Amino acid sequence: NIGGSNTAFVYMSSSDPKELSEAVSQVYDEYRGIFIDYYSVWETEQSDRSLAFVMQVFCYGFIALMTLICIANILNTISTSIDLRRREFAMLKSVGMDSKAFNRMLVFESLLYGIKTLIYGIPLSILLILAEFEMMRGTFSFGFFLPLPYYIGAIAALFGVVLLAMAYSFRKARR
């Protein structure tokens, strides 16, 4: 008798939580007229895992889509740049610029695109991580850290895209 009402609590554990949850659910359905409530940790964990999986698929899909859009944007920018500068390239070659110097110019130009991206992207991402940390500080207790392996991976991926763009610009410029 708790607080003037007849309340009973029953805690159960099982080596097969799915079977236990199904059995308790049947009892719950059978005695629906009587106030019975149950909470299954196993069902909650299964629901949380399913939700986490859906969120991961959504997030990784979004990241993949954004990555493909960015790569296409970089290639489009370089392609447009080369198309618009054909006369400039022809003039440079006519005044004596050899292929080696021309290729070196394109390499430096592509590297500057990548470095400029890092100069804007890394500080912005650190600010976003700090803002997210500040928002979650009251909810979770963990220290602030920068995910350096992810930064290194992102930098490597960026320069991979820059190399791809460089190869594309070489092919486009030779035509």
Side-chain angles (χ1 to χ4, degrees):
N1 191 356
I2 300 174
S5 67
N6 292 328
T7 304
F9 295 94
V10 178
Y11 298 95
M12 293 183 230
S13 65
S14 172
S15 60
D16 187 5
K18 182 177 181 181
E19 185 178 319
L20 176 64
S21 182
E22 289 172 358
V24 170
S25 182
Q26 285 177 352
V27 170
Y28 178 74
D29 289 340
E30 191 174 315
Y31 293 101
R32 203 165 270 254
I34 302 171
F35 183 76
I36 296 177
D37 196 14
Y38 81 98
Y39 174 77
S40 172
V41 174
W42 179 80
E43 287 178 4
T44 303
E45 286 177 356
Q46 293 299 329
S47 175
D48 289 349
R49 281 190 198 111
S50 296
L51 180 63
F53 178 73
V54 168
M55 291 301 293
Q56 283 178 336
V57 167
F58 175 74
C59 287
Y60 289 131
F62 182 74
I63 289 168
L65 180 66
M66 290 303 295
T67 301
L68 291 174
I69 289 171
C70 289
I71 290 171
N73 190 18
I74 289 169
L75 292 175
N76 185 39
T77 300
I78 289 174
S79 173
T80 304
S81 171
I82 290 187
D83 284 343
L84 293 174
R85 296 170 56 201
R86 278 193 180 155
R87 290 183 188 160
E88 177 187 336
F89 293 155
M91 193 246 342
L92 288 171
K93 287 185 177 186
S94 70
V95 296
M97 181 181 254
D98 63 344
S99 295
K100 189 175 179 182
F102 182 74
N103 289 344
R104 194 175 19 209
M105 181 186 75
L106 289 179
V107 166
F108 284 128
E109 199 171 285
S110 296
L111 287 175
L112 284 175
Y113 281 134
I115 291 169
K116 186 177 176 184
T117 301
L118 290 176
I119 288 171
Y120 290 128
I122 288 177
L124 182 62
S125 71
I126 291 172
L127 288 175
L128 288 173
I129 289 172
L130 278 170
E132 186 177 4
F133 173 73
E134 286 299 321
M135 287 188 311
M136 292 184 163
R137 193 190 317 206
T139 308
F140 301 105
S141 60
F142 54 86
F144 178 77
F145 70 96
L146 284 176
L148 291 178
Y150 292 109
Y151 276 101
I152 292 168
I155 291 169
L158 173 73
F159 282 109
V161 170
V162 166
L163 286 173
L164 177 71
M166 231 182 335
Y168 181 71
S169 66
F170 284 148
R171 275 191 35 214
K172 187 101 173 158
R174 284 188 189 129
R175 286 187 205 158

